[in-house]
Amino acid sequence: MYSYSLSNGRCMITFTTPQTQLCYAITQLHFLHSVLISHKATSCSFLANSVCTFSSYIKNHNIHGITYEDALSLATTLGTQLFYMESQNHTFTFLDTKHIIVLDNQYFLYLGTQHLVELEYHNTFLLTTPLPTHQRSYLAPECYQITQLPASLHKHSLYYNLAALIVQCLFPDKNLREFHKEFLLPIEETKLYWFLLRCLEREPINRRCLLI
């Protein structure tokens, strides 16, 4: 678990257990500045003027969803964090919005340490606890096929999770259990459009978390 606070222009995050991989990823994020990590990776801090929960951030937007620029930042910042987590042979089982914080109203950081897992052979991880039921619309299709735990999932299930979250924030009226390419027509041919399509491939091995 963790806690965070804001004081004198710095955001401080404190973990109840050492978080070496997560702290390393935080040091690599280009949008965070003057990052300091404690010796045992139980805390980190960086410059920030504001910090809020993801739910508070969403409530500040109108019912029509977040802007394209906001969605692009969501893809860029969380996608970059996932890249550096994977470089440490770790990932998350799920992106639960309860554990996303928003920095300076434009950058996103995932702190769900209870969802942190080590990657195994063939880029899979072992799921040992049930996935959150309150956000099932964000789950990758293969997650619905799980009949017992533990279960093996490809790391790319998280790419679907991220993209589904972004689509839901952009278009709150869409039912993601019945995702269709047509949902994305308002942003067709943009780089976010192609990013989402790469992440939302039905087959996990075909997904790419790539924004170009």
Side-chain angles (χ1 to χ4, degrees), residues 82-114:
L82 294 184
F83 171 81
Y84 285 112
M85 292 301 301
E86 290 176 2
S87 75
Q88 295 292 293
N89 207 39
H90 281 69
T91 191
F92 299 104
T93 59
F94 183 75
L95 295 177
D96 188 332
T97 56
K98 293 190 301 183
H99 300 292
I100 298 175
I101 62 171
V102 187
L103 305 162
D104 296 338
N105 207 38
Q106 61 179 324
Y107 305 124
F108 304 85
L109 188 63
Y110 192 72
L111 299 177
T113 55
Q114 66 271 49

Side-chain angles (χ1 to χ4, degrees), residues 119-132:
L119 291 174
E120 299 184 339
Y121 190 55
H122 288 320
N123 290 319
T124 62
F125 62 85
L126 197 63
L127 181 68
T128 58
T129 57
L131 292 166

Side-chain angles (χ1 to χ4, degrees), residues 1-7 10-15 22 26 29 31-32 35 43-58 60-61 70 73-79 81 92 94-115 135 162 165 169:
M1 297 302 291
Y2 62 91
S3 61
Y4 61 87
S5 60
L6 186 68
S7 178
R10 291 192 71 85
C11 178
M12 169 70 77
I13 304 172
T14 303
F15 305 105
L22 181 53
I26 288 174
L29 299 178
F31 53 89
L32 298 182
V35 179
S43 67
C44 64
S45 68
F46 41 81
L47 296 178
N49 293 314
S50 67
V51 58
C52 70
T53 64
F54 189 74
S55 60
S56 297
Y57 170 82
I58 292 298
N60 288 334
H61 290 76
D70 293 331
S73 181
L74 190 53
T76 301
T77 55
L78 289 186
Q81 183 182 357
F92 299 104
F94 183 75
L95 295 177
D96 188 332
T97 56
K98 293 190 301 183
H99 300 292
I100 298 175
I101 62 171
V102 187
L103 305 162
D104 296 338
N105 207 38
Q106 61 179 324
Y107 305 124
F108 304 85
L109 188 63
Y110 192 72
L111 299 177
T113 55
Q114 66 271 49
H115 299 140
Q135 294 178 21
L162 173 59
L165 171 62
C169 292

Side-chain angles (χ1 to χ4, degrees), residues 68-201:
Y68 174 87
E69 289 72 21
D70 293 331
L72 191 61
S73 181
L74 190 53
T76 301
T77 55
L78 289 186
T80 302
Q81 183 182 357
L82 294 184
F83 171 81
Y84 285 112
M85 292 301 301
E86 290 176 2
S87 75
Q88 295 292 293
N89 207 39
H90 281 69
T91 191
F92 299 104
T93 59
F94 183 75
L95 295 177
D96 188 332
T97 56
K98 293 190 301 183
H99 300 292
I100 298 175
I101 62 171
V102 187
L103 305 162
D104 296 338
N105 207 38
Q106 61 179 324
Y107 305 124
F108 304 85
L109 188 63
Y110 192 72
L111 299 177
T113 55
Q114 66 271 49
H115 299 140
L116 187 63
V117 289
E118 187 173 3
L119 291 174
E120 299 184 339
Y121 190 55
H122 288 320
N123 290 319
T124 62
F125 62 85
L126 197 63
L127 181 68
T128 58
T129 57
L131 292 166
T133 57
H134 62 288
Q135 294 178 21
R136 292 187 65 83
S137 61
Y138 304 148
L139 295 180
E142 61 271 19
C143 294
Y144 293 101
Q145 300 172 9
I146 296 174
T147 57
Q148 62 180 16
L149 297 175
S152 181
L153 284 174
H154 198 282
K155 69 176 185 179
H156 292 176
S157 68
L158 204 66
Y159 298 174
Y160 193 103
N161 182 188
L162 173 59
L165 171 62
I166 294 171
V167 173
Q168 186 71 82
C169 292
L170 269 173
F171 311 112
D173 59 328
K174 302 301 183 184
N175 179 7
L176 293 183
R177 285 295 303 272
E178 300 175 3
F179 173 75
H180 298 287
K181 187 177 178 179
E182 290 73 21
F183 288 0
L184 305 180
L185 286 179
I187 60 167
E188 190 175 19
E189 301 300 326
T190 64
K191 63 180 181 179
L192 180 61
Y193 171 83
W194 295 115
F195 170 85
L196 294 173
L197 288 186
R198 293 185 193 104
C199 291
L200 292 169
E201 286 279 354

